[in-house]
Amino acid sequence: MKPGSVAIVGAGPGDPELITLKAVYRIQEAEVILYDRLVNEELLNYAKPDAVLIYCGKSPGNHSMPQRKIEQYMVRYAREGKKVVRLKGGDPFVFGRGGEEALAMAEAGIAYEVVPGITSAIGAAASAGIPLTHRGLAASFTIVTGSRCSDHESPVQWDQLVRSSDTIVVYMGISQFSEIREQLLLHGKSGLTPVAVIENGTTTRQRTLTGTLNNIEKLLSATKIGNPALIIIGEVVKVREQLLKIEVEARSQIG
């Protein structure tokens, strides 16, 4: 039997046009595709008509398939000689458990490769007009996951982030935002620090809400923004407002 293989593929942040060519090629070649909740299903149109499609998405508090089971499927189909694609939103090595899956393939002796994708922090921020670094405002950014806020064994070191990072980007942080805000203020962030929340970034359903640490929580409650959403904290959020102002002025001059 011809040996199978696994490609752990990043599908990008949501807009189907932001997937890489290499990722498209792997989808086209695949005989089995295990795909996540945040993968734009339009990308499955690249698959062969007879490809086996397996949904294994996760949402807060609702995992359709345990991680261990996903890895077992990857190993099983590869051992059957299939070309397997594990299709993941964003980049597979940024809060995507792609590293765990690569380790599982290596331990099972399965040939595998990792195909990078545009991670949501970069894609959604750019789509909302927010540069994560900007001369004079931010020379560094840090990506953290809000899901670790409730992890008492390995908590986010907010005190260190406040001191060392100009821009803080939080994945999966909407439900923990009250705690995140409290920690940032406790460790020295000003209540006037700009904040942006981007829902469904890079897609046609994108919504972007901006405010400050002082008022963003009330704004979130009023607008009902929910997951998937990205939180950006830092002075770079002001660039979005500058861009919008310039665009409005340009349109008024044309009009």
Side-chain angles (χ1 to χ4, degrees), residues 62-108:
N62 181 23
H63 292 191
S64 65
M65 189 181 298
Q67 182 64 29
R68 180 59 181 155
K69 185 69 173 178
I70 295 170
E71 293 163 7
Q72 289 172 345
Y73 269 123
M74 294 165 69
V75 170
R76 169 189 151 190
Y77 282 111
R79 284 180 172 165
E80 290 177 1
K82 308 289 189 189
K83 290 184 177 179
V84 180
V85 161
R86 175 70 176 103
L87 192 58
K88 309 171 77 67
D91 181 273
F93 275 12
V94 179
F95 301 130
R97 304 187 80 165
E100 296 175 38
E101 292 167 354
L103 286 168
M105 297 308 102
E107 290 169 359

Side-chain angles (χ1 to χ4, degrees), residues 128-207:
I130 301 172
L132 297 182
T133 62
H134 188 79
R135 187 159 59 96
L137 291 180
S140 63
F141 69 91
T142 300
I143 302 174
V144 299
T145 171
S147 61
R148 279 184 55 191
C149 289
S150 56
D151 186 348
H152 299 295
E153 294 183 3
S154 182
V156 176
Q157 301 297 316
W158 294 110
D159 56 336
Q160 296 181 27
L161 289 183
V162 168
R163 290 195 303 268
S164 64
S165 188
D166 297 317
T167 306
I168 299 173
V169 183
V170 186
Y171 285 61
M172 300 170 281
I174 290 295
S175 61
Q176 292 88 11
F177 187 77
S178 291
E179 182 178 351
I180 293 169
R181 175 183 176 276
E182 180 181 337
Q183 289 295 318
L184 291 172
L185 293 173
L186 176 66
H187 294 294
K189 274 290 186 188
S190 167
L192 298 178
T193 301
V195 180
V197 180
I198 308 166
E199 178 187 64
N200 292 308
T202 76
T203 73
T204 56
R205 303 183 311 281
Q206 177 174 309
R207 288 196 295 166

Side-chain angles (χ1 to χ4, degrees), residues 11-14 36-40 55 57-58 88-90 120 200 227-228:
D36 278 351
R37 178 176 69 96
L38 297 181
V39 169
N40 191 315
Y55 176 74
K58 301 180 180 72
K88 309 171 77 67
S120 298
N200 292 308
N227 289 309

